[in-house]
Amino acid sequence: MKLSIRYKFVIGFLVIFCISFISISFFINKIIVKNNEKIISKEFLRFQKDLTIYLNQYLKLKQIALDENEFEKNAQDIAAVLAVKIDDRVVVYSGKGGFLSDSACENGKIPIYEEVNNINEHKKYNKDLKLAVNNKSAYTIVPIDNKYMVIFSCPIFIDDVKLGIVRCNRDYTELFNSSENLLRVINISISLVFGLIFIFSILLATKITVPIIKLSRISKEVAKGNFDADIIVNSRDETGELTSNFNKMKNQIKKQIETIKRDRDNLKTIQKHRKAFFDNVTHEMKTPLTIISGYSQIILQKDFKDKEFFKKAVVKIKNESDRMHNMVLELLEISKVESKVSSDQMKKINVSEVIYLTCEDMRIRADKYDILIDKHIDKDVFVLGNENELRRMMINLIDNSIKYGDIKSSIKVKMFKDKNYCNMIVEDKGHGISTDKLDKIFKPFYRVDKVSSREKGSNGLGLSIVKSIVEKHRGEINIVSKENIGTKVYIKIPLIVYKMATSV
């Protein structure tokens, strides 16, 4: 049978308390007994000294010789006198233990411990008498009918002459009853204390084990995949800290699993996008290759003599070749932008200078269509990034505004700091983008309107490159546009970026 840790605690505490209670009671009882013996010994030592003094005075007063025979002859008188002196019963024996006289014999009350003529009788209570025969004082504790009688025997020596043995008894019931009452009170007190400690221990064991039991139950749920159950323990000790750490660990595992699932779904999405990207690349390259191949086959015919068609074919082949060349360059740029960048490629950049110089460079293209680049750029704004990529981003944005903006219009380029971000805005006036197409413009090879672009060779990769650059710099991009009015591009990049690694 499996015992829970709670019951193990209770059983362990119970065993310890029982052993402790028995041990303490035993030692206290020993101490009380020794204390009683010490009290009795002290009183009888004093009694022996007084007894010798009384007897010596009596013998001198009665002019009885210090002789064992004379002591035996006067044993009855001696017993009576000593009994009056000590106010207790006195029995007188010879030096060899023979019974001589008893002060209580007159009333006919001879107690159970009395030895008559032979010290070997009543062996249960004559140990003290035997020791007195061997010249040693001793006493025996005799329990009789809820009473405690103490029998004391001592040899009588006067002037180094052993005259005999005097034996007397005293009632110490009160002393022993007091000791028993004291022991009973102590045992009850110990029992109460141990009982309270035991109850407190059970409560403490419960307080400790209940969270562990809950933790065990919840851990089984977690093992089954249920991460929604939490342990609530209102405790500030190690148990509360343990449950708090368990909840944190469980939530962290839950987040990791959710991240893995999300990454799995993202991977599937990326694979779909890659397939779509590959299909788009294949389709986009197939068209110019088909045109180039078709014109080349016609030109290579032996009887071909049409100079006008030859000139047209050469121009077409060149245009399609340029288009393929630009497409390959932009694909390489996308691959480069979306690849992981080492930390040494990211450095502190004055983005104000990058945007200003880009606007100056693009002014030549804008002048071709009589378009003004109106720039409002805050000075000395710094970000952590890649200068070439940020320049490429601005070139694509301004280039799109030139392609799709109205002739003799203006392109507004703004850059300013707001809290911890560098904000960039590129605004043009032109064809604009319909609302239903705004969510597709960042897809590779997607072109809003091929006809509206005043320049050929556009492959629909510009905004895709821009978005990749912004995301790599931990930024955000948003486009607002209205048809036949114009387009605004909002970009926000953190002024300080610590980690710049991106995933493909």
Side-chain angles (χ1 to χ4, degrees):
M1 180 180 177
K2 182 181 177 181
L3 289 177
S4 67
I5 189 172
R6 180 180 179 182
Y7 290 108
K8 289 181 180 178
F9 265 114
V10 172
I11 293 172
F13 283 138
L14 184 60
V15 171
I16 292 172
F17 291 158
C18 289
I19 294 174
S20 301
F21 177 77
I22 293 172
S23 300
I24 292 174
S25 297
F26 175 77
F27 286 113
I28 289 177
N29 184 63
K30 283 288 186 183
I31 292 171
I32 291 175
V33 170
K34 285 188 176 293
N35 185 63
N36 290 343
E37 292 176 351
K38 185 177 180 181
I39 292 173
I40 295 171
S41 297
K42 188 175 181 180
E43 288 188 1
F44 275 109
L45 286 175
R46 186 170 62 252
F47 166 75
Q48 182 181 8
K49 184 178 179 181
D50 294 341
L51 186 65
T52 303
I53 294 172
Y54 294 152
L55 188 57
N56 187 25
Q57 291 175 351
Y58 176 76
L59 294 176
K60 288 182 179 181
L61 181 64
K62 296 295 183 177
Q63 296 181 354
I64 299 173
L66 298 177
D67 182 77
E68 188 175 357
N69 293 329
E70 291 295 324
F71 181 81
E72 291 179 2
K73 291 178 182 179
N74 295 279
Q76 187 173 355
D77 294 336
I78 292 172
V81 170
L82 292 178
V84 173
K85 282 287 186 182
I86 65 175
D87 194 23
D88 272 317
R89 182 182 177 190
V90 176
V91 183
V92 179
Y93 295 86
S94 65
K96 295 181 180 179
F99 177 77
L100 298 178
S101 178
D102 187 350
S103 64
C105 286
E106 295 178 354
N107 300 324
K109 296 180 181 178
I110 301 176
I112 191 172
Y113 63 79
E114 181 183 293
E115 293 80 7
V116 181
N117 297 326
N118 191 344
I119 63 173
N120 292 322
E121 294 180 10
H122 308 289
K123 292 181 180 180
K124 185 177 180 180
Y125 305 115
N126 65 359
K127 185 178 180 180
D128 58 296
L129 184 59
K130 288 182 179 181
L131 291 173
V133 171
N134 294 322
N135 302 326
K136 295 180 180 179
S137 299
Y139 64 88
T140 301
I141 300 174
V142 182
I144 302 174
D145 298 332
N146 297 324
K147 290 186 177 183
Y148 290 91
M149 305 300 295
V150 177
I151 305 171
F152 180 75
S153 299
C154 64
I156 302 300
F157 286 90
I158 298 177
D159 295 339
D160 295 330
V161 177
K162 184 178 181 180
L163 301 179
I165 298 172
V166 175
R167 199 177 189 204
C168 64
N169 66 292
R170 283 188 174 179
D171 188 354
Y172 276 86
T173 302
E174 185 177 353
L175 175 64
F176 281 93
N177 286 342
S178 298
S179 299
E180 288 179 357
N181 291 335
L182 177 62
L183 182 61
R184 189 180 302 108
V185 171
I186 292 175
N187 287 337
I188 293 173
S189 300
I190 293 174
S191 300
L192 290 175
V193 172
F194 278 171
L196 292 174
I197 295 175
F198 182 67
I199 294 173
F200 174 76
S201 301
I202 292 176
L203 295 176
L204 181 62
T206 302
K207 186 175 178 61
I208 294 174
T209 56
V210 167
I212 296 176
I213 294 171
K214 290 182 180 179
L215 186 63
S216 176
R217 185 172 64 252
I218 296 299
S219 63
K220 291 179 181 178
E221 293 295 323
V222 172
K224 295 177 183 178
N226 181 13
F227 294 93
D228 295 328
D230 284 334
I231 305 176
I232 300 175
V233 177
N234 297 322
S235 176
R236 296 183 180 181
D237 55 12
E238 289 80 0
T239 305
E241 184 178 356
L242 175 63
T243 54
S244 176
N245 291 336
F246 178 83
N247 287 332
K248 291 179 182 178
M249 179 189 71
K250 177 181 65 62
N251 293 333
Q252 189 64 30
I253 293 174
K254 182 180 179 181
K255 290 180 181 178
Q256 291 295 333
I257 292 176
E258 290 175 353
T259 301
I260 292 172
K261 290 180 179 179
R262 187 167 56 253
D263 290 345
R264 179 196 62 192
D265 296 336
N266 290 339
L267 182 60
K268 292 180 180 179
T269 304
I270 290 173
Q271 289 175 346
K272 291 180 181 179
H273 288 169
R274 283 181 175 175
K275 184 178 183 303
F277 182 81
F278 178 78
D279 293 341
N280 287 331
V281 170
T282 304
H283 175 74
E284 292 291 333
M285 286 189 171
K286 183 178 179 180
T287 300
L289 286 173
T290 300
I291 295 173
I292 292 172
S293 176
Y295 278 105
S296 299
Q297 290 177 8
I298 294 173
I299 293 173
L300 290 174
Q301 290 178 2
K302 294 182 179 180
D303 56 348
F304 180 78
K305 297 179 180 179
D306 189 345
K307 292 183 179 181
E308 290 295 327
F309 184 84
F310 178 80
K311 184 178 179 181
K312 177 182 177 182
V314 170
V315 172
K316 195 68 175 178
I317 289 172
K318 183 180 182 304
N319 290 337
E320 294 300 326
S321 298
D322 291 341
R323 179 183 172 191
M324 283 190 61
H325 176 74
N326 293 333
M327 185 187 302
V328 170
L329 291 179
E330 289 184 339
L331 289 173
L332 291 175
E333 186 66 25
I334 288 178
S335 176
K336 180 180 177 182
V337 168
E338 292 185 347
S339 64
K340 292 184 177 180
V341 181
S342 59
S343 59
D344 58 347
Q345 291 179 281
M346 293 293 183
K347 58 184 179 179
K348 186 177 180 180
I349 297 171
N350 189 336
V351 71
S352 302
E353 294 182 356
V354 173
I355 296 176
Y356 180 83
L357 293 175
T358 304
C359 291
E360 290 295 313
D361 293 339
M362 296 300 292
R363 190 175 63 180
I364 298 173
R365 284 176 54 78
D367 289 343
K368 182 179 179 182
Y369 303 102
D370 200 14
I371 295 175
L372 174 66
I373 298 178
D374 183 14
K375 49 187 180 294
H376 301 275
I377 302 171
D378 288 354
K379 294 183 178 180
D380 297 328
V381 177
F382 294 90
V383 299
L384 189 63
N386 185 292
E387 182 176 350
N388 291 330
E389 291 178 356
L390 292 175
R391 177 178 172 82
R392 175 70 172 172
M393 176 188 76
M394 292 304 301
I395 288 175
N396 282 337
L397 291 176
I398 297 174
D399 188 59
N400 278 345
S401 295
I402 294 173
K403 289 178 182 177
Y404 298 97
D406 293 339
I407 296 176
K408 296 184 179 181
S409 64
S410 64
I411 300 172
K412 293 183 179 180
V413 179
K414 297 180 182 179
M415 195 277 293
F416 57 92
K417 289 191 294 184
D418 181 21
K419 296 181 180 179
N420 294 325
Y421 289 91
C422 169
N423 293 271
M424 292 168 270
I425 301 174
V426 178
E427 179 183 1
D428 64 59
K429 294 179 180 180
H431 301 287
I433 305 170
S434 61
T435 305
D436 59 328
K437 296 179 181 179
L438 279 175
D439 58 342
K440 301 177 183 178
I441 58 177
F442 292 115
K443 293 181 179 181
F445 300 107
Y446 182 80
R447 283 167 288 191
V448 177
D449 189 353
K450 296 181 181 180
V451 178
S452 62
S453 174
R454 62 176 53 91
E455 294 187 1
K456 304 300 180 183
S458 174
N459 297 302
L461 294 173
L463 287 178
S464 177
I465 294 174
V466 169
K467 187 174 186 294
S468 297
I469 294 173
V470 172
E471 289 179 347
K472 188 166 66 174
H473 287 76
R474 294 293 187 268
E476 300 175 3
I477 183 171
N478 185 34
I479 295 181
V480 178
S481 183
K482 292 183 178 180
E483 286 188 282
N484 301 320
I485 294 178
T487 303
K488 274 188 179 182
V489 180
Y490 297 89
I491 296 176
K492 189 164 73 171
I493 296 177
L495 293 176
I496 299 175
V497 180
Y498 291 101
K499 296 181 180 180
M500 288 300 184
T502 59
S503 59
V504 179

